[in-house]
């Protein structure tokens, strides 16, 4: 199976008066055309994993292997849009004309439900709409993998639920591989094909979810049991 493989990854940050080892001999496989969710406490190394794969940081040890092309895009917790550019120009920002057509840019805007707001500026959009623009911009780059660092954390419950549905639709339409960071077990259960629990700089447990996303009911017996298993892994510090 194609994807991204992390083997024996070690990451140390120099804090001036000392060093902190954030990742310790971490091993993880991120399959292609799937949504893999990293779940864990704050400071456990989830964001660092994303930054290493995206090339924003360099590991101190271990190997990161990619199969085939490795075009990656990054969606942060905040949209990071250019306030002086409208929606269309934000999505097209940084793209070479030869890389993408106007039709493709408009297609991505349509996928996130913002066709009527192409000429609107970030200040005229809600937080959820701004995050949709950020996702459309990432998708327009036509990446093989998208790294998403708690992209819905700042949204209200209803907007977050809507964005989760939008992400599922967009991922299926584009067949893009996604590595998604969250603190929410429910969000992980709704989105993931695979969940990796991160603790003490390594992968503590992994869970595969076979059920189709449209059929997932978090109140059914199988998902309640899976939720309990994940909670036990997060609560057990051994």
């Amino acid at each position: 199976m194609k994807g991204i493989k992390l083997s024996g990854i070690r990451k140390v940050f120099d804090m001036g008066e000392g060093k902190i080892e954030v990742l310790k001999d971490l091993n993880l496989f991120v399959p292609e055309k799937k949504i893999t969710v990293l779940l864990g406490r704050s400071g456990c190394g989830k964001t660092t994993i994303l930054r290493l794969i995206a090339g924003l940081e360099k590991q101190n040890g271990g190997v990161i292997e990619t199969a085939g092309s490795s075009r990656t895009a990054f969606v942060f917790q905040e949209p990071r849009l250019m306030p002086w550019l409208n929606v269309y120009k934000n999505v097209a920002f940084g793209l070479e004309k030869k890389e993408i057509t106007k039709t493709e840019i408009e297609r991505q805007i349509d996928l996130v439900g913002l066709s009527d707001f192409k000429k609107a500026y970030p200040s005229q959009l809600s937080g959820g709409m701004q995050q949709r623009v950020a996702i459309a911009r990432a998708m327009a780059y036509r990446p093989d993998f998208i790294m998403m660092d708690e992209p819905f954390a700042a949204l209200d419950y209803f907007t977050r639920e809507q964005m989760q549905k939008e992400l599922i639709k967009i991922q299926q339409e584009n067949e893009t591989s996604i590595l998604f960071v969250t603190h929410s077990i429910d969000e992980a259960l709704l989105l993931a094909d695979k969940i990796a629990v991160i603790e003490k700089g390594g992968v503590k447990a992994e869970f595969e979810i076979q059920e189709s996303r449209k059929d997932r009911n978090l109140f059914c017996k199988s998902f309640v049991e899976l939720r309990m298993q994940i909670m036990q892994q997060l609560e057990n510090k051994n």
Side-chain angles (χ1 to χ4, degrees):
M1 181 184 294
K2 293 182 179 180
I4 295 178
K5 183 179 181 181
L6 293 81
S7 303
I9 298 299
R10 179 172 176 264
K11 179 61 181 176
V12 179
F13 286 104
D14 190 343
M15 306 304 289
E17 297 181 355
K19 296 184 178 181
I20 297 178
E21 190 174 29
V22 177
L23 299 179
K24 308 171 185 178
D25 192 32
L26 179 135
N27 300 292
L28 175 68
F29 180 70
V30 184
E32 69 170 4
K33 298 182 181 180
K34 304 284 186 181
I35 298 179
T36 301
V37 174
L38 302 182
L39 194 60
R41 293 181 175 83
S42 296
C44 69
K46 302 185 301 297
T47 297
T48 301
I49 294 171
L50 266 64
R51 293 180 64 84
L52 289 174
I53 295 175
L56 301 176
E57 299 279 355
K58 179 67 177 177
Q59 69 266 30
N60 297 95
V63 178
I64 299 176
E65 301 173 87
T66 60
S69 180
S70 57
R71 286 171 66 92
T72 61
F74 209 115
V75 178
F76 299 89
Q77 291 186 33
E78 64 282 349
R80 299 195 181 186
L81 304 179
M82 309 300 170
W84 59 89
L85 298 180
N86 61 29
V87 167
Y88 181 92
K89 291 182 178 179
N90 261 291
V91 173
F93 183 80
L95 297 173
E96 297 290 340
K97 291 183 179 179
K98 63 182 179 181
E99 288 184 325
I100 192 167
T101 65
K102 178 180 178 181
T103 301
E104 179 63 17
I105 293 173
E106 291 184 344
R107 173 177 171 270
Q108 296 301 336
I109 294 173
D110 181 59
L111 277 175
V112 298
L114 292 176
S115 292
D116 294 333
F117 295 87
K118 286 184 290 187
K119 295 184 179 180
Y121 288 85
S123 62
Q124 299 172 309
L125 305 176
S126 67
M129 294 168 77
Q130 290 182 30
Q131 199 65 310
R132 290 187 195 188
V133 178
I135 293 172
R137 180 175 59 189
M139 289 291 185
Y141 181 63
R142 291 184 294 185
D144 299 291
F145 280 84
I146 296 184
M147 315 298 153
M148 306 189 79
D149 188 8
E150 296 189 75
F152 309 146
L155 304 180
D156 63 79
Y157 172 82
F158 298 103
T159 304
R160 186 169 186 160
E161 185 178 43
Q162 183 179 10
M163 288 301 300
Q164 290 165 352
K165 294 177 181 177
E166 292 288 347
L167 180 64
I168 290 170
K169 182 182 72 174
I170 294 166
Q171 188 271 336
Q172 291 173 339
E173 178 76 19
N174 289 276
E175 293 190 327
T176 305
S177 309
I178 295 175
L179 185 57
F180 190 102
V181 164
T182 184
H183 287 98
S184 169
I185 297 177
D186 286 348
E187 185 165 65
L189 291 173
L190 286 169
L191 296 177
D193 296 292
K194 175 180 179 178
I195 297 173
V197 177
I198 310 299
E199 187 172 297
K200 296 182 179 179
V203 177
K204 185 177 182 182
E206 294 184 351
F207 301 89
E208 303 279 349
I209 302 179
Q210 303 299 330
E211 286 88 346
S212 169
R213 292 187 187 88
K214 66 179 181 179
D215 297 327
R216 294 185 187 183
N217 178 357
L218 300 191
F219 296 100
C220 74
K221 183 179 179 181
S222 62
F223 274 95
V224 170
E225 291 176 349
L226 180 55
R227 192 178 196 281
M228 291 300 296
Q229 291 177 39
I230 294 172
M231 288 181 65
Q232 288 172 1
Q233 292 293 332
L234 291 169
E235 293 170 358
N236 184 358
K237 297 182 181 180
N238 296 325

